[in-house]
Amino acid sequence: MRQNARDTARTPAAGPGRTAGPGLSRRTLGTETLLVLALSLGASAVSALISFIGAATRPGGLKDQAARLNASHAPGRPWLDLAWQVFGIATALVPVFLVVHLLLREGAGPRTIGLDRRRPGSDLARGTAVAAVVGGTGLLLYLGARAAGGNLTVVPESLPDVWWKFPVLIASAVQNAVLEEVVVVGYLLRRLGQLGWSPAAALAASAVLRGSYHLYQGIGGLVGNMAMGVLFVLLYRRWGRVGPLVAAHALIDVVAFVGYALLAGHVSWLPTG
């Protein structure tokens, strides 16, 4: 029987000398979890904190500074730039492959967190509905936080106008979605459940982690993504699948990246860096 998120959340705590997973001690699973985070979004959280401290202590307000995503790595050299873009997207997915390997080693596999193609229609439909709600709310929160001086100006893309611009933006959006939902929701909740964390504590840890690696955007990025993290954990526990969350996140980022590329400088309400 497939173990879903509700089952994982109720996994009993492992005491001294007992295993918290198939053949693995509690200490081993705890170390594994810390290493996965240190190689991925945990490191991003520390980087975001340092970036925010730098922005907050720099002369001038936060909204007068820019947080740039999907920037050029080799201006004026489009083929070299493309190579760097593809390299960055591919290497960012390595922690996902590591998580899949660890789940297979455990004897569970990625299906246990709903990372599969069994329900593509359902996942996409649910993801689209979630994206419509979260995306609109997130945009309003960002504009409000920036106007209040609590957020940097987020520049979702500043790539050159070359043929690969939009494919790279879409690939970057999908990469973000897969990495974050697999690591911060599916994997982390499973491991914290096996380590004996309560459902409430695991939810808080996942939401705080999601918010913290968006802190480079400012307070609005922190708070907005923590709220999104709470919602996504609740939906994951209801559905037992990361598939809809990956779809929702990918759609949100695709609209943000591509929408900015098409609208920046053409509409007055969209801040530009």
Side-chain angles (χ1 to χ4, degrees), residues 69-141:
L69 291 66
N70 300 303
S72 175
H73 296 301
R77 306 181 67 183
W79 286 103
L80 182 62
D81 201 350
L82 175 60
W84 278 118
Q85 299 294 337
V86 173
F87 173 78
I89 291 169
T91 53
L93 288 173
V94 171
V96 176
F97 290 106
L98 175 59
V99 164
V100 170
H101 166 75
L102 294 171
L103 291 175
L104 289 171
R105 181 197 64 179
E106 181 186 340
R111 278 194 174 190
T112 196
I113 62 171
L115 184 64
D116 54 52
R117 295 178 293 178
R118 288 179 295 167
R119 306 173 190 171
S122 173
D123 288 348
L124 182 58
R126 287 172 169 175
T128 301
V130 173
V133 175
V134 173
T137 304
L139 176 59
L140 293 175
L141 177 61

Side-chain angles (χ1 to χ4, degrees), residues 1-4 7 112:
M1 179 181 293
R2 180 177 63 86
Q3 186 177 25
N4 61 23
D7 299 326
T112 196

Side-chain angles (χ1 to χ4, degrees), residues 34-268:
L34 290 176
L35 288 174
V36 168
L37 294 179
L39 290 170
S40 57
L41 295 167
S44 296
V46 176
S47 174
L49 174 60
I50 296 172
S51 178
F52 176 73
I53 292 173
T57 54
R58 189 176 297 131
L62 289 178
K63 68 178 181 179
D64 297 322
Q65 304 175 50
R68 301 184 182 277
L69 291 66
N70 300 303
S72 175
H73 296 301
R77 306 181 67 183
W79 286 103
L80 182 62
D81 201 350
L82 175 60
W84 278 118
Q85 299 294 337
V86 173
F87 173 78
I89 291 169
T91 53
L93 288 173
V94 171
V96 176
F97 290 106
L98 175 59
V99 164
V100 170
H101 166 75
L102 294 171
L103 291 175
L104 289 171
R105 181 197 64 179
E106 181 186 340
R111 278 194 174 190
T112 196
I113 62 171
L115 184 64
D116 54 52
R117 295 178 293 178
R118 288 179 295 167
R119 306 173 190 171
S122 173
D123 288 348
L124 182 58
R126 287 172 169 175
T128 301
V130 173
V133 175
V134 173
T137 304
L139 176 59
L140 293 175
L141 177 61
Y142 160 65
L143 293 174
R146 182 182 177 276
N151 223 76
L152 285 78
T153 298
V154 178
V155 180
E157 72 85 24
S158 54
L159 295 176
D161 290 324
V162 290
W163 65 268
W164 48 260
K165 175 175 182 173
F166 290 106
V168 163
L169 290 176
I170 293 170
S172 177
V174 173
Q175 171 254 298
N176 289 341
V178 174
L179 173 64
E180 294 185 37
E181 305 317 324
V182 169
V183 173
V184 179
V185 179
Y187 172 78
L188 184 60
L189 290 182
R190 181 173 180 82
R191 285 294 182 259
L192 293 182
Q194 291 170 326
L195 290 169
W197 286 47
S198 70
L203 181 151
S206 178
V208 169
L209 175 59
R210 187 187 295 268
S212 64
Y213 59 75
H214 286 94
L215 184 58
Y216 68 92
Q217 298 176 6
I219 301 300
L222 170 70
V223 175
N225 280 280
M226 284 180 60
M228 176 177 166
V230 171
L231 174 64
F232 274 29
V233 168
L234 295 176
L235 292 176
Y236 175 68
R237 286 176 173 165
R238 179 178 180 84
W239 295 331
R241 296 181 58 77
V242 297
L245 307 183
V246 170
H249 194 149
L251 287 171
I252 291 169
D253 280 7
V254 166
V255 171
F257 297 166
V258 175
Y260 184 89
L262 295 175
L263 297 177
H266 300 289
V267 294
S268 60

